Amino acid sequence: MESANQTASVTEFVLLGLSAHPKLEKTFFVLILLMYLVILLGNGVLILVTVSDSRLHTPMYFFLGNLSFLDICYTTSSVPLILDSFLTPRKTIPSSACAVQMFLSFAMGATECVLLGMMAFDRYVAICNPLRYPVVMSKAVYVPMAVSSWVAGSAASLVQTSLAMRLPFCGDNVINHFTCEILAVLKLACADISINVISMAVANVIFLAVPVLVIFVSYVFIIATILRIPSAEGRKKAFSTCSAHLTVVVVFYGTILFMYGKPKSKDTQGTDKQDLPDKLISLFYGVVTPMLNPIIYSLRNKDVKAAVRNLVAHKCSSQ
């Protein structure tokens, strides 16, 4: 009976964030806010140019528009909560809001993994089979591909969130994180989480390992094809069409490996302890990649740069 009462009493969670470092909160509020505004502006401009410029109505830029919209959704699901926690003395979140935030973050992350794999396949077809590209990557193909990535990511997130929020939380409701990160929430459960661990492992294989394999195989064929091009100018032109995507892939998966592959510090009882550097890494992980994506595509892609210049020139002339 006592355990049931404790379980029923957990209707909200406490997010520790930087509570132990109050002097840093105001500084990071300004820094994260500025980065969030850059994310909204940069990805918003990319979406605008991919929709408005007819020269960018191709599969690659359609996927890029989806990636930009996804980055806006991903950061919006967590950054406002983080900013609010920097200004609020007691950093609490209702369990229902925690579930929504958990669902959105996991869904956007899983969808981005699938999208990056699809973008690699698109570059493979464009470079290795250019004559068949209009047929293989027709609108009837690439639109359902993008839709399926959103559906798959959302479905996986719904499963993981439902399994996590059905667990009993017996009194301990303090999440040592900035947001309702699913692994941090699972640590608070007072029941067997083996089903959650197995389902997370399956999700990691589907949404991390499989897209990485697709990207790796695609770029093996892409590089082999580029090396067979006789002229240096031809090789440079072919590589330039996929260099931005490859850079985004390296940044995205590089930060994931650095975030979850590094050894965690231990306290005297041997349990995982998230010190200040770990927290700051997790904080910037959620905003750096979405901020860099539009910058990378703007700097390394001539078509996007030309479209942005045309958009700016059009706005200036209309005034």
Side-chain angles (χ1 to χ4, degrees), residues 56-201:
L56 301 184
H57 291 174
T58 63
M60 182 175 73
Y61 296 112
F62 178 76
F63 288 131
L64 178 58
N66 274 262
L67 184 64
S68 294
F69 180 68
L70 186 150
D71 283 339
I72 290 176
C73 293
Y74 177 75
T75 51
T76 301
S77 71
S78 58
V79 171
L81 177 64
I82 294 172
L83 293 175
D84 179 68
S85 72
F86 287 150
L87 302 177
T88 307
R90 180 167 174 78
K91 312 170 197 310
T92 59
I93 179 173
S95 57
S96 57
C98 184
V100 171
Q101 195 272 319
M102 187 190 305
F103 167 79
L104 291 175
S105 294
F106 194 99
M108 297 304 104
T111 303
E112 182 158 359
C113 290
V114 178
L115 266 179
L116 289 175
M118 291 180 175
M119 293 172 77
F121 176 75
D122 171 74
R123 292 300 82 207
Y124 158 74
V125 178
I127 294 174
C128 300
N129 298 282
L131 296 180
R132 297 188 59 199
Y133 183 72
V135 176
V136 175
M137 295 302 294
S138 65
K139 190 172 184 178
V141 174
Y142 69 77
V143 172
M145 285 175 65
V147 172
S148 66
S149 69
W150 286 90
V151 172
S154 299
S157 181
L158 182 61
V159 170
Q160 299 302 327
T161 303
S162 299
L163 289 175
M165 298 310 294
R166 289 176 63 184
L167 292 169
F169 301 98
C170 304
D172 188 3
N173 65 339
V174 179
I175 300 175
N176 193 14
H177 208 276
F178 293 98
T179 61
C180 291
E181 202 267 341
I182 189 166
L183 295 179
V185 173
L186 289 178
K187 291 180 180 179
L188 305 181
C190 58
D192 182 21
I193 61 169
S194 56
I195 298 298
N196 302 78
V197 173
I198 294 172
S199 64
M200 285 288 289

Side-chain angles (χ1 to χ4, degrees), residues 21-80:
H21 308 275
K23 293 182 180 179
L24 295 178
E25 290 186 322
K26 299 299 186 292
T27 301
F28 280 102
F29 174 85
V30 175
L31 184 58
I32 298 301
L33 177 60
L34 291 176
M35 296 175 73
Y36 182 51
L37 293 176
V38 171
I39 290 169
L40 295 179
L41 177 61
N43 287 287
V45 168
L46 270 184
I47 294 172
L48 185 59
V49 297
T50 55
V51 171
S52 62
D53 196 316
S54 59
R55 294 171 300 178
L56 301 184
H57 291 174
T58 63
M60 182 175 73
Y61 296 112
F62 178 76
F63 288 131
L64 178 58
N66 274 262
L67 184 64
S68 294
F69 180 68
L70 186 150
D71 283 339
I72 290 176
C73 293
Y74 177 75
T75 51
T76 301
S77 71
S78 58
V79 171

